[in-house]
Structures are given as structure tokens and as C-alpha cells.
Amino acid sequence: MFKTLDELGSGNRVLVRLDLNSPVEDGIVKDNRRFARHARTVRELVEDGHRVVVMAHQGRPGRDSFVSLDQHADLLAEYVETPVGFVDDVHGDEAVDAIRGLDAGEILLLENVRMSDDELPEKPAEEHADSEFVQTLAPEFDCYINDAYSAAHRSHASLVGFPLVLPAYAGRVMEAEYEANTSIASREFDGQVTMVLGGAKATDVIDVMSALDEAIDHYLLGGIVGELFLRAAGYDVGYDVGGTELYDHQWEQNEERIRELLAERSDRITLPFDLAYEDAADERAEFPVTDDVEKDFPLLDVGSTTVERYGEVIEDSAAVFVKGALGVFEDERFSTGTVGVLETIATTDCFSVIGGGDTSRAIELYGLDEEYFSHVSIAGGAYVRALTGQSLPGVDALTRSCERVESSVDQ
């Protein structure tokens, strides 16, 4: 498939792509689990005596989150427990000079790769490999390491260009994410497989359901997609009220597919039994989903009965995959669905993968221990693409690099 750090050796000049993209508030970069995850790869490279140069991105041009990586260097250093130098340049003379000045075991972080005009265009790997960005930096290194699984669905220069001109390896995050997120297709489980689906992006969820087909025994729905499926089932929910713009346009885009899935898999799709809202006293209130239900106010979570029923299915499962939150968990009043399901998974003897940025954030926000889950993904778009069987350009580039090296050895 692709080479990993187990095959790398020691004492190389290595160019490493991480995903350190983080929330930014008032110009301050906030810590998140990505630093801790990627620190394992960087620390291992330092211990093996490599000269380590790190590439990463932050935000997109034109957005408030598009800032320098100078703060990221300090955050990464805390987790690696080794100083991380920073150079305010991506691939100019200043960057090249700093790279050449590194000693074994030292780390250098380059400036935000999205500040290079060569980085962002979605192009074939061959075109990126010929860019000034890649052609300038590649000769300074012995190999390239991609640890940025969460960005692997992008065909950007730092992700797909370097593997075509350098021996390429997967970092520890890339390796673990790929193995866990493709396990639905690659593993066999001794028992039923359940998928908990929620979140705000109904199209993503529907794509996942369509792609997985017979691989899943039970679908447990919540969030916006749960309401849209309830709407298709004939209940008076799943549309915008109170100024929201979350439901109606997604219904228009997906109504036919939702109705088809509900008809084809009615025995495997479980919809919320009750829903929660904010009452006049600003408290959480719940009502059962019945034929006479009416949506007069925003619905913010699944109800307690739903959590209990979903929990019974989870407890009988050999594997559980999660994509998306079941409610507005950032508000503690409406965290019951998301946190309740996660707590049940944590105490159930099953293989479990928790995917999507929001869902994994709930684990951190409510103090759940990651060790109780088989894998907690830090990927969003890449996780969805993996579940739907779509290729990931970043992974494909690593595979091509491996094939190229093996072909040259055979000749």
C-alpha cells in the first residue's frame, strides 16, 4: 500500500507534512488534539536522528483564520518536548538557508504553505511536482513524510507533489487513520455493525449510507439528517423555523434519495423516538415523535428515550462507527444525545471509530477518555471520503511513490 516509518531508517533529511489547522480567536491560535497526535510522529523522527522540516497550513486566504504559523511552532514544541524553530518563508532563500542549517535531531517549521501561490490549486500530482515550490525544496531532502490524513482529500502541492519526486512514507497519524477509517471495507466483524449518523451536512451522511449499503446492519440517525428522514417518514419536522437555514435547502437537494433509502432500508434505519427543544424557561424540554407532532421552534437534540433505545442497539454491536453529532452538544443542555451515545460506546466491548471534527470535539469537551474508543479520528472530509470508498489524493500519492521506488529496484 504505502511505506511507513518502520521502513525509514535513521539520520535522514526529512520533509514532513502535518495538519496543524486550528481554531483562531482574536488572532490567537488555539491548541487542539492535532498537535498531540502529530507530536508522536515528529518525536519519533527526532529520536531517530533525522533533520526534521515541517510543513503545515492554517486557514484559507481571505479568512480570519489565515495566519502565520509562528504560534504553531510553540504549541508543537510543547508536545514534542523539543524546541521547534520557525522561518517566515515557505520555499524562498530564507527557508532554504534555514533548512541547510539544521543539525540532526533539530526541528524547523516552515511558514503556512497556503501563503505559496503553488499550494492551493487543485491540480494533478504531476503538475504540482513540477511547481517551483516542489522543485525548490525537494533537492534539500532525502525523503518526504505525509502525516496529514485529515487533509489527504486535497490535491495540493504539499500533499501530492513531493511523493512524485522523493521517496515517501506515511507518518503515524496517517497510518492509524487510514487503517481505522477503511476498516468497514477491510475488516470482518463477528456480529452486527452499527453506524450512528448525525451532524449538519445531510448530503455527506446520505453519501455514506448510499456507499456502504449492506456493510451496515443498523443506522441510528439524529441531528439535521435525523429530522429530514423523519420528514420523509411523514412527521411534521425537518424544515426551517425561527430564521434557521439548515433544513429546507438540504431537503430540496436530497428528498428523492432520502425517500429511496428509507424505503429500501426501513428495517435497518432507526429514527429518533423523541426530540428536545428549549422551553419558555430556557430549559431543556422533550416531546415524543408522534403523528400529531408539529415543529414550531428549533429542535436541538434527540431525546432521552432515543438515547436509551440507541444504546440498546450499540450494546449488541460488534462494531460502531460514528459520523456527526446528534444535537447541539456545545450547549450542555443539548449534549444528552451525542454524549449519551458516546458514553454507551465507551462502555461497550466493541470496535469503535469516532469520526468527524465535531464528534471528536465532544469527547474532549465532556472529558471522555479516548482510550475507551478504538480510534478517534481528527479527520472530517477525508473520513467521509474513506467511508464512501472515494480515493484520497494524498494517500494515492504515497502509494504511487511506493510503486515507483519498487519498480526502480526491480529494473
Side-chain angles (χ1 to χ4, degrees):
M1 178 60 195
F2 46 63
K3 292 182 179 295
T4 69
L5 299 189
D6 296 329
E7 303 163 86
L8 178 57
S10 60
N12 292 294
R13 301 169 302 159
V14 299
L15 180 62
V16 188
R17 177 59 156 95
L18 308 182
D19 183 358
L20 302 179
N21 195 40
S22 305
V24 177
E25 296 180 11
D26 298 324
I28 304 300
V29 176
K30 300 298 182 180
D31 191 1
N32 67 45
R33 59 169 32 89
R34 287 177 172 169
F35 289 94
R37 294 283 185 88
H38 287 303
R40 178 188 174 192
T41 294
V42 177
R43 191 182 305 115
E44 183 175 339
L45 293 171
V46 169
E47 292 171 352
D48 286 340
H50 299 290
R51 293 168 172 80
V52 183
V53 176
V54 176
M55 298 184 295
H57 73 275
Q58 174 61 55
R60 279 183 174 270
R63 298 181 182 177
D64 292 340
S65 59
F66 185 61
V67 299
S68 170
L69 297 189
D70 56 345
Q71 298 177 62
H72 297 68
D74 293 333
L75 288 168
L76 183 60
E78 291 179 15
Y79 287 101
V80 180
E81 298 179 339
T82 299
V84 176
F86 172 75
V87 58
D88 184 19
D89 188 19
V90 180
H91 55 85
D93 292 342
E94 187 178 354
V96 172
D97 289 344
I99 292 166
R100 291 176 178 174
L102 278 185
D103 290 328
E106 292 186 335
I107 310 167
L108 175 69
L109 175 63
L110 302 180
E111 182 57 285
N112 187 344
V113 293
R114 291 184 173 176
M115 292 184 179
S116 167
D117 292 338
D118 290 340
E119 170 66 3
L120 274 176
E122 292 276 348
K123 294 180 179 180
E126 289 79 6
E127 293 186 31
H128 278 309
D130 287 334
S131 67
E132 180 183 351
F133 178 13
V134 174
Q135 290 297 315
T136 300
L137 288 188
E140 305 299 325
F141 298 95
D142 299 310
C143 60
Y144 165 84
I145 299 165
N146 191 347
D147 208 33
Y149 180 87
S150 51
H153 57 302
R154 306 294 187 188
S155 187
H156 294 165
S158 64
L159 297 161
V160 302
F162 289 98
L164 268 62
V165 297
L166 286 170
Y169 300 81
R172 296 307 184 192
V173 171
M174 173 68 75
E175 182 182 3
E177 289 273 13
Y178 179 83
E179 181 178 349
N181 297 342
T182 59
S183 58
I184 288 181
S186 63
R187 292 184 54 163
E188 291 186 5
F189 299 102
D190 186 21
Q192 68 184 24
V193 178
T194 296
M195 175 158 275
V196 182
L197 295 167
K201 298 178 180 178
T203 301
D204 283 355
V205 171
I206 293 164
D207 287 344
V208 169
M209 294 177 71
S210 299
L212 294 176
D213 195 19
E214 299 300 323
I216 304 299
D217 300 295
H218 294 285
Y219 298 95
L220 309 178
L221 303 189
I224 289 175
V225 72
E227 272 198 66
L228 294 179
F229 270 76
L230 283 171
R231 179 172 175 174
Y235 298 99
D236 194 21
V237 297
Y239 54 87
D240 288 309
V241 296
T244 63
E245 296 181 354
L246 299 169
Y247 295 88
D248 291 339
H249 73 280
Q250 296 199 74
W251 173 257
E252 292 172 3
Q253 294 170 0
N254 297 293
E255 177 183 0
E256 183 177 353
R257 296 174 69 198
I258 292 172
R259 293 191 184 280
E260 288 176 354
L261 286 168
L262 198 56
E264 294 170 359
R265 306 182 197 178
S266 59
D267 58 331
R268 290 185 284 148
I269 295 175
T270 304
L271 304 180
F273 297 90
D274 52 354
L275 298 165
Y277 64 98
E278 181 182 69
D279 66 14
D282 295 334
E283 299 290 337
R284 176 189 176 100
E286 300 181 356
F287 63 81
V289 176
T290 59
D291 291 340
D292 60 352
V293 65
E294 293 183 5
K295 183 175 182 179
D296 298 319
F297 31 70
L299 303 174
L300 305 173
D301 194 11
V302 297
S304 303
T305 299
T306 300
V307 175
E308 181 180 351
R309 299 282 186 87
Y310 284 7
E312 293 170 357
V313 176
I314 290 167
E315 289 170 350
D316 289 335
S317 299
V320 181
F321 295 83
V322 179
K323 169 64 181 82
L326 300 186
V328 186
F329 68 84
E330 294 87 350
D331 186 329
E332 188 173 0
R333 296 171 301 169
F334 303 105
S335 64
T336 299
T338 302
V339 176
V341 163
L342 290 174
E343 288 176 339
T344 301
I345 295 170
T347 57
T348 298
D349 183 17
C350 65
F351 177 83
S352 57
V353 177
I354 313 301
D358 281 348
T359 322
S360 60
R361 190 157 54 88
I363 291 175
E364 183 176 16
L365 186 60
Y366 289 95
L368 301 176
D369 193 334
E370 285 194 18
E371 293 184 0
Y372 289 108
F373 306 96
S374 303
H375 182 71
V376 177
S377 178
I378 56 175
Y383 178 62
V384 171
R385 289 189 67 148
L387 291 177
T388 55
Q390 299 179 65
S391 64
L392 298 173
V395 175
D396 291 344
L398 291 178
T399 302
R400 291 179 62 185
S401 176
C402 182
E403 293 170 346
R404 176 174 55 84
V405 172
E406 291 177 349
S407 176
S408 65
V409 171
D410 293 338
Q411 291 177 356

